[in-house]
């Protein structure tokens, strides 16, 4: 049992990565839409590249979205709305006529004529002048439980009563009573036809729902298209219908498990390729569980967002800012890893997006442009310029595909260009997202490194006040290391920041370090060599404590831990040997670890060379050359660079830069022959 637990503890990193791999694969498959994948890829306007295709089963030809939209528009244009006929209004008006008649006619008048006129008015109904009537010729009038189509011009509007009354009384030869009747009807006549919006909306919705989405059927075995035929017109519509029918029916019954099995193989294969890439080219990233988790989280996040966009509306996949992925990975790691992960993610998304070939081509091109253009994110204008270039590439590529498919510019969906602009605006979110990731995963980007490199920051200001000599030494090391990093292709910004902070632990005992001693008094003269060595060694641990207290990133703390590796405080060790020849050398060694990256190795070389260069007297080219060779070769002999991914060729390049810089520092001139 104890051995089993020991094996689990020893292999915990491998177990975690396996668990992460399985979870990521399962989650991506879960996010995939539950539909099969049509086995043929085709594009409008291009030749059918497969064998002759025959209908595998009976299926209906689906109408295009434009055809359905046109039919819906036609239904709306011809729809006859519903109006309610209120009989209670008619009864009320009739009663008021009986009651008010005597008030308007003092002498005996033609009462029966007025009754006939009211009956004529309300035969089909009276509407208010403010009532909006449709453009259709008829309206549906609901009277009780009956619906009767009524010609629109038979409905009487209140404003037309005077004209109707005049014509009616003229026919009855009662024009002398027109004014009295008009005053009476003005007082009592009320509209009884009112629009029934609820019933109209329901009826319109029913009519729209009854529109057929198909236009004929294709029988099983019927030839659909021949090899080499151009996919266009009716053939394109039939192929599109077959694809929809195929995908909607495939994910059923026992097929479900086979499709899941197939997706599992493909998704797992993509993630295996990622892990193999990390193992071969980025082993230091693969060893860091946090960084591996970070990469997987970003891939899953992009699959999740794209899946939501596809489910809502396929066109909105172009709003998803997929280029954020290479931007972020390049900011935290490097361009090659960023592009590789971006391409793998795009390949995964090809399973779920419409027009997968176009999408993959478009996103891969955009990813390449992103990697080539986005640099130095700490410069605010760079991201805006790069995003503008990415958006332009999106538009140009989409335009080219549309021209190929349509053969003209008439059917270009200009709205998609607006979607690409939204995509560009969303890509600008990379800056705050980088900051969020730094806090969540403890990673460091060039933006944070630029902030840390400010010598006016609180910690470096404190170093310059308490240990001015150490501060000056750190600046010199930073300049040397940055130049060397540029020469061998290392992260120059990270190297500079690491060099600036590598000796901050000396602040606690500044006077015990020669660069900070301004008088001839040396405090080491008053203590024994063992104590002196421990004070010198202690500055590494003090630096780590100070860095953590001030929330410096782990990548910067690595430089503090490794800049002396496991080297020996040789001066005090030799001094102690004079007192005790049996003194163990282990007591005078730094605790390590030794450098484990190209960047930390460069800082170690630069630190040792810069510190020792202060002892040079009357330096010349030969002295500087031998001096640098001696120091760096000793570090190699001690095995200080065994864990660092730095080659002998790169070490020689670092030496060359250090020699050139020291030559410039000491202002050596060329010795001319006599």
């Amino acid at each position: 049992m104890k051995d089993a637990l020991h094996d689990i503890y020893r292999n915990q990193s491998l177990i975690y990565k396996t668990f992460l791999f399985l979870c990521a694969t399962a989650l991506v498959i879960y996010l995939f839409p539950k539909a099969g994948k049509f086995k043929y890829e085709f594009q409008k306007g291009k030749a059918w590249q497969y064998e002759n295709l025959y209908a595998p089963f009976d299926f209906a030809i689906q109408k295009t979205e434009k055809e359905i939209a046109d039919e819906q528009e036609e239904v709306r244009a011809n729809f006859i709305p519903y109006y309610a006929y209120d009989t209670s209004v008619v009864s009320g008006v009739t009663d008021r006529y009986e009651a008010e008649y005597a008030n308007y006619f003092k002498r005996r008048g033609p009462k029966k004529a007025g009754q006939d006129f009211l009956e004529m008015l309300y035969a089909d109904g009276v509407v208010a002048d403010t009532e909006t009537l449709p453009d259709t010729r008829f309206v549906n009038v609901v009277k009780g439980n009956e619906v009767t189509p009524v010609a629109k011009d038979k409905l009487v509007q209140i404003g037309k009563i005077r004209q109707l009354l005049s014509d009616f009384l003229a026919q009855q030869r009662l024009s002398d009573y027109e004014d009295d009747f008009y005053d009476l009807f003005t007082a009592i006549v009320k509209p009884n036809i009112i629009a029934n919006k609820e019933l109209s909306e329901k009826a319109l919705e029913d009519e729209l729902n009854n529109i057929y989405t198909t236009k004929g059927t294709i029988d099983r075995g019927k030839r659909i298209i021949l090899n080499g035929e151009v996919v266009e017109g009716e053939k394109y519509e039939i192929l599109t219908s077959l694809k929809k029918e195929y995908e909607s029916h495939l994910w059923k019954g026992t097929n479900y498990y086979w499709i899941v099995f197939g997706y599992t193989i493909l998704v797992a294969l993509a993630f295996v390729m990622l892990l193999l890439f990390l193992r071969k080219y980025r082993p230091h990233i693969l060893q860091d569980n946090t960084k591996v988790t970070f990469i997987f989280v970003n891939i899953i996040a992009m699959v999740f967002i794209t899946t939501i966009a596809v489910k809502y509306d396929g066109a909105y996949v172009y709003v998803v800012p997929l280029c954020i992925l290479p931007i972020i990975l390049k900011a935290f790691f490097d361009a090659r890893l960023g592009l590789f992960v971006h391409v793998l993610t795009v390949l995964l998304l090809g399973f779920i997006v419409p027009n997968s070939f176009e999408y993959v081509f478009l996103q891969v091109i955009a990813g390449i442009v992103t990697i080539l253009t986005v640099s130095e994110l700490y410069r605010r204008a760079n991201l805006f310029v790069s995003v503008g270039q990415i958006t332009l590439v999106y538009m140009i590529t989409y335009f080219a595909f549309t021209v190929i498919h349509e053969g003209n510019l008439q059917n270009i969906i200009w709205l998609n260009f607006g979607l690409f602009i939204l995509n560009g605006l969303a890509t600008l979110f990379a800056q705050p997202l980088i900051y969020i990731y730094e806090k969540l995963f403890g990673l460091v980007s060039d933006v944070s490194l630029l902030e840390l490199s400010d010598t006016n920051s609180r910690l470096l200001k404190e170093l310059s006040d308490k240990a001015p000599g150490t501060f000056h030494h750190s600046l010199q090391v930073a300049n040397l290391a940055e130049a060397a990093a540029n020469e061998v292709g290392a992260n120059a910004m990270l190297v500079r920041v690491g060099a600036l902070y590598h000796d901050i632990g000396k602040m606690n005992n500044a006077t015990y370090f020669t660069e900070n001693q301004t008088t001839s008094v040396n405090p080491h003269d008053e203590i024994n060599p063992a104590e002196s060595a421990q004070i010198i060694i202690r500055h590494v641990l003090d630096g780590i404590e100070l860095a953590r207290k001030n929330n410096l990133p782990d990548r910067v703390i690595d430089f503090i831990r490794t800049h002396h590796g496991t080297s020996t405080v040789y001066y005090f060790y030799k001094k102690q040997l004079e007192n005790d020849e049996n003194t163990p050398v282990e007591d005078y060694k730094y605790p390590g670890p030794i450098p484990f990256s190209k960047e930390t190795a460069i800082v170690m070389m630069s630190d040792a060379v810069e510190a020792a260069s202060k002892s040079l007297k009357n330096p010349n080219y030969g002295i500087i050359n031998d001096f640098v060779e001696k120091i760096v070769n000793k570090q190699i002999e001690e095995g200080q660079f065994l864990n660092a991914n730095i080659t002998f060729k790169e070490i020689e390049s670092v030496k060359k830069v250090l020699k050139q810089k020291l030559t410039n520092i000491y202002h050596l001139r060329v010795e001319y022959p006599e």
Side-chain angles (χ1 to χ4, degrees):
M1 180 67 179
K2 185 177 180 181
D3 292 340
L5 291 174
H6 177 70
D7 290 339
I8 292 173
Y9 178 77
R10 187 176 59 188
N11 297 308
Q12 59 178 325
S13 180
L14 179 60
I15 294 171
Y16 174 78
K17 290 183 181 70
T18 303
F19 175 75
L20 180 65
F21 169 81
L22 294 175
C23 288
T25 303
L27 189 56
V28 169
I29 294 171
Y30 174 77
L31 291 173
F32 277 3
K34 302 300 182 287
K37 194 70 177 176
F38 194 50
K39 60 182 178 180
Y40 300 111
E41 283 285 342
F42 60 91
Q43 295 179 0
K44 188 176 180 180
K46 299 195 76 174
W48 179 256
Q49 300 176 351
Y50 308 96
E51 70 278 3
N52 299 346
L53 180 63
Y54 297 87
F57 45 75
D58 297 339
F59 65 94
I61 304 174
Q62 302 287 330
K63 293 179 181 177
T64 64
E65 292 183 3
K66 184 178 185 305
E67 288 174 330
I68 294 175
D70 290 342
E71 288 191 32
Q72 289 176 339
E73 189 62 33
E74 185 179 356
V75 167
R76 291 189 180 93
N78 298 325
F79 176 71
I80 300 176
Y82 288 79
Y83 289 81
Y85 185 98
D86 193 343
T87 55
S88 63
V89 172
V90 180
S91 300
V93 171
T94 302
D95 292 342
R96 287 197 63 191
Y97 177 79
E98 293 292 338
E100 298 288 341
Y101 180 80
N103 296 332
Y104 289 87
F105 294 89
K106 303 300 182 183
R107 52 192 173 83
R108 186 177 180 181
K111 185 176 183 181
K112 180 67 169 61
Q115 292 171 337
D116 293 341
F117 182 72
L118 285 177
E119 185 177 345
M120 182 192 75
L121 283 182
Y122 286 101
D124 293 306
V126 177
V127 296
D129 291 332
T130 56
E131 186 73 57
T132 303
L133 295 175
D135 296 331
T136 55
R137 183 180 174 187
F138 291 90
V139 296
N140 287 319
V141 177
V142 181
K143 192 173 184 179
N145 292 326
E146 288 187 23
V147 178
T148 306
V150 175
K152 183 176 64 174
D153 55 7
K154 287 188 176 182
L155 297 178
V156 179
Q157 288 186 302
I158 294 292
K160 296 181 179 179
I161 289 178
R162 181 69 183 241
Q163 183 62 42
L164 292 173
L165 177 63
S166 178
D167 294 342
F168 177 80
L169 292 178
Q171 292 175 1
Q172 302 293 327
R173 297 181 180 180
L174 297 171
S175 298
D176 294 341
Y177 297 95
E178 181 180 333
D179 291 337
D180 295 328
F181 270 121
Y182 180 72
D183 292 339
L184 173 58
F185 292 146
T186 300
I188 66 173
V189 172
K190 302 293 182 187
N192 73 320
I193 297 292
I194 302 171
N196 191 333
K197 293 183 179 179
E198 183 178 351
L199 181 59
S200 295
E201 289 174 0
K202 186 177 184 306
L204 177 59
E205 184 179 354
D206 290 340
E207 287 193 34
L208 292 174
N209 291 335
N210 288 332
I211 293 176
Y212 288 108
T213 58
T214 61
K215 53 178 182 181
T217 58
I218 299 294
D219 297 328
R220 179 179 180 180
K222 182 178 179 180
R223 189 178 67 196
I224 296 175
I225 192 169
L226 296 174
N227 175 262
E229 277 194 272
V230 177
V231 179
E232 59 184 357
E234 185 181 5
K235 294 186 183 299
Y236 177 75
E237 294 177 2
I238 294 174
L239 284 170
T240 303
S241 300
L242 176 60
K243 180 180 178 181
K244 290 180 180 178
E245 191 75 14
Y246 186 88
E247 292 178 346
S248 64
H249 286 84
L250 190 59
W251 198 286
K252 291 182 179 179
T254 56
N255 291 350
Y256 175 87
Y257 301 103
W258 284 108
I259 293 172
V260 169
F261 178 68
Y263 272 144
T264 302
I265 293 175
L266 294 174
V267 174
L269 188 62
F271 285 140
V272 166
M273 292 302 103
L274 173 60
L275 294 174
L276 290 176
F277 176 86
L278 294 177
R279 180 183 178 185
K280 185 171 180 63
Y281 298 107
R282 302 293 183 272
H284 62 286
I285 295 178
L286 185 61
Q287 292 169 8
D288 192 324
N289 287 341
T290 301
K291 293 177 180 177
V292 175
T293 304
F294 171 75
I295 294 171
F296 274 89
V297 165
N298 276 278
I299 294 174
I300 293 170
M302 286 302 168
V303 174
F304 175 70
I305 296 171
T306 305
T307 303
I308 292 176
V310 170
K311 288 182 178 179
Y312 183 77
D313 188 336
Y316 286 111
V317 295
Y318 295 119
V319 180
V320 178
L322 200 61
C323 288
I324 277 185
L325 187 60
I327 290 175
I328 289 175
L329 293 178
K330 184 179 179 182
F332 288 116
F333 305 116
D334 60 85
R336 188 177 181 184
L337 177 60
L339 183 59
F340 187 86
V341 173
H342 176 74
V343 171
L344 276 185
T345 306
V346 171
L347 292 177
L348 288 175
L349 295 177
F351 291 118
I352 63 177
V353 298
N355 300 319
S356 55
F357 173 77
E358 293 179 21
Y359 180 84
V360 170
F361 184 90
L362 186 69
Q363 295 294 356
V364 169
I365 292 296
I368 293 173
V369 172
T370 302
I371 291 298
L372 294 176
T373 60
V374 176
S375 61
E376 299 180 333
L377 282 176
Y378 52 85
R379 300 183 187 276
R380 290 175 294 180
N382 283 11
L383 183 60
F384 286 92
V385 173
S386 298
V387 166
Q389 293 172 333
I390 294 166
T391 304
L392 183 61
V393 167
Y394 270 130
M395 291 180 174
I396 292 173
T397 310
Y398 170 75
F399 175 83
F401 270 117
T402 304
V403 171
I404 290 173
H405 294 165
E406 302 295 339
N408 56 61
L409 302 180
Q410 297 175 359
N411 296 323
I412 287 183
I413 304 174
W414 297 104
L415 177 63
N416 285 347
F417 290 96
L419 298 181
F420 292 132
I421 294 174
L422 290 177
N423 183 301
L425 294 176
T427 305
L428 293 175
F429 188 67
Q431 280 283 19
L433 196 59
I434 287 172
Y435 177 79
I436 293 171
Y437 277 146
E438 286 178 339
K439 300 305 177 185
L440 289 178
F441 291 91
L443 301 173
V444 184
S445 69
D446 286 350
V447 178
S448 294
L449 291 176
L450 180 67
E451 294 174 356
L452 291 171
S453 67
D454 182 8
T455 54
N456 288 316
S457 63
R458 189 181 61 81
L459 193 56
L460 291 180
K461 200 76 174 173
E462 185 179 357
L463 176 65
S464 67
D465 291 339
K466 292 183 177 180
T470 299
F471 176 72
H472 183 265
H473 160 71
S474 298
L475 286 177
Q476 293 284 64
V477 173
N479 292 333
L480 292 173
E482 184 179 17
N486 284 323
E487 182 70 20
V488 298
N491 189 332
M493 181 64 75
L494 177 61
V495 165
R496 180 171 186 82
V497 172
L500 286 173
Y501 289 90
H502 79 283
D503 267 346
I504 57 173
K506 291 182 179 180
M507 284 192 288
N508 291 357
N509 295 290
T511 56
Y512 284 86
F513 298 90
T514 55
E515 67 265 25
N516 298 311
Q517 294 170 3
T518 56
T519 64
S520 59
V521 178
N522 189 340
H524 288 290
D525 295 339
E526 302 175 6
I527 57 178
N528 61 58
E531 291 176 324
S532 294
Q534 289 308 309
I535 291 173
I536 299 300
I537 292 171
R538 179 71 193 175
H539 88 272
V540 173
L541 298 177
D542 288 344
I544 295 172
E545 290 177 6
L546 269 173
R548 287 177 176 163
K549 183 179 178 181
N550 288 272
N551 298 316
L552 289 184
D554 288 340
R555 291 180 74 187
V556 176
I557 295 176
D558 288 342
F559 288 90
I560 302 174
R561 295 166 56 213
T562 62
H563 73 278
H564 285 296
T566 55
S567 60
T568 305
V569 186
Y570 198 72
Y571 176 82
F572 292 110
Y573 174 62
K574 291 290 290 182
K575 199 171 182 182
Q576 180 64 22
L577 286 178
E578 296 174 1
N579 302 326
D580 182 5
E581 293 183 356
N582 297 320
T583 300
V585 69
E586 287 76 15
D587 294 342
Y588 290 81
K589 284 182 175 294
Y590 284 96
I594 59 177
F596 44 79
S597 68
K598 188 182 298 184
E599 287 77 13
T600 50
I602 290 171
V603 169
M604 170 183 263
M605 287 184 269
S606 303
D607 176 50
V609 167
E610 202 286 329
S613 68
K614 299 295 189 292
S615 63
L616 291 177
K617 296 179 180 178
N618 302 318
N620 55 39
Y621 289 103
I623 292 175
I624 290 177
N625 182 74
D626 295 341
F627 165 76
V628 172
E629 291 287 341
K630 178 182 177 182
I631 290 178
V632 177
N633 288 341
K634 183 180 180 183
Q635 290 174 334
I636 295 174
E637 290 170 6
E638 292 177 350
Q640 299 296 335
F641 306 134
L642 290 178
N643 292 342
N645 60 332
I646 189 168
T647 64
F648 282 114
K649 181 179 180 181
E650 289 172 334
I651 291 175
E652 290 300 319
S653 297
V654 172
K655 288 181 185 177
K656 178 182 176 183
V657 171
L658 294 177
K659 294 171 186 176
Q660 290 174 345
K661 289 293 180 181
L662 286 178
T663 300
N664 293 334
I665 289 171
Y666 287 105
H667 304 292
L668 297 181
R669 296 182 180 274
V670 176
E671 296 181 5
Y672 294 99
E674 296 180 359

